[in-house]
Amino acid sequence: MCLNKSCLKCGLYNYQKPIYDDEKLSDIMWVGLSAKLINNDFKAPLDLNTASGKIISDIEMMTSDFVHCKTNLVKCAPLNDAGKLRYPFKSEMDFCFDNLILEVNNIKPKIIFLLGKIVSDFILSKNGFDKIALSDNFKYKSVQISDILYYPVHHPSYISVYKKKFCKQYIDSIVDIIKSNI
């Protein structure tokens, strides 16, 4: 089934069309919260020009034997009335959830990293699971849904802002998860 790159379910498409990584089979999928506005600096989900993208890129380099795909729960940029990026509303996440499921079914990852509490709580609840507390020592627990391991983890931007001195520990923890599960 093809991804809906012309989704019109909510009004967010008025700001920009949905953003997807290239469609490809991947071992690992990263799911952030929402798209940024496309401009000369940001062109793809979790782009290398963001703090989150740089951390994920470091992890990708350390696990280059595996194919990675980056995406967001909400595919379009949610903007407030002043044109500034905001957190998506639950209704917008609900509208986009089917697009994420189509994406997962097309890409067929073995591991999906749910970046941050909002994404983790939303996706786990959609699948009938309770919320999982994110570990302060980066010992993350997985939830298996179908044949896929879902790992709720801290959002890389949270690490880069609030836990910068623990960035290496965060990266090493995720690299260990990848290498021990694929």
Side-chain angles (χ1 to χ4, degrees):
M1 188 175 280
C2 207
L3 298 177
N4 187 356
K5 294 185 179 182
S6 300
C7 177
L8 303 175
K9 288 183 179 180
C10 72
L12 293 181
Y13 69 88
N14 287 319
Y15 303 115
Q16 73 185 22
K17 292 188 186 315
I19 301 174
Y20 294 91
D21 198 347
D22 294 332
E23 292 182 46
K24 61 185 175 223
L25 294 179
S26 297
D27 302 302
I28 299 141
M29 180 181 261
W30 303 89
V31 180
L33 181 57
S34 63
K36 288 188 164 286
L37 278 174
I38 297 173
N39 61 32
N40 290 335
D41 295 329
F42 306 111
K43 295 181 175 69
L46 301 161
D47 192 89
L48 180 59
N49 291 316
T50 65
S52 297
K54 287 176 185 166
I55 291 173
I56 291 172
S57 177
D58 289 345
I59 295 168
E60 288 175 318
M61 287 189 309
M62 297 171 74
T63 58
S64 60
D65 293 344
F66 308 106
V67 180
H68 297 254
C69 174
K70 295 174 273 197
T71 192
N72 288 303
L73 172 59
V74 175
K75 308 301 183 193
C76 299
L79 303 179
N80 64 19
D81 292 338
K84 301 287 184 187
L85 201 60
R86 61 166 170 78
Y87 287 115
F89 302 131
K90 184 180 180 306
S91 61
E92 293 162 342
M93 292 187 285
D94 283 329
F95 286 132
C96 247
F97 185 68
D98 290 341
N99 292 331
L100 178 65
I101 296 304
L102 285 172
E103 201 172 11
V104 168
N105 290 337
N106 283 346
I107 292 170
K108 301 180 185 345
K110 294 173 179 78
I111 297 175
I112 296 178
F113 288 101
L114 305 174
L115 303 177
K117 186 150 182 53
I118 295 171
V119 171
S120 298
D121 290 350
F122 180 82
I123 291 175
L124 291 178
S125 71
K126 283 292 213 181
N127 286 285
F129 290 92
D130 292 331
K131 299 173 184 177
I132 293 178
L134 299 179
S135 167
D136 287 336
N137 62 1
F138 310 117
K139 301 293 181 197
Y140 299 114
K141 296 179 181 174
S142 67
V143 170
Q144 186 157 351
I145 302 170
S146 298
D147 294 334
I148 303 170
L149 290 176
Y150 285 74
Y151 275 91
V153 299
H154 292 93
H155 198 287
S157 64
Y158 169 81
I159 299 298
S160 70
V161 172
Y162 299 105
K163 301 285 185 178
K164 195 168 192 106
K165 66 182 180 177
F166 298 105
C167 190
K168 182 180 179 344
Q169 185 181 352
Y170 172 80
I171 290 171
D172 290 345
S173 173
I174 292 177
V175 167
D176 287 345
I177 288 169
I178 293 169
K179 289 183 175 181
S180 65
N181 285 290
I182 299 181

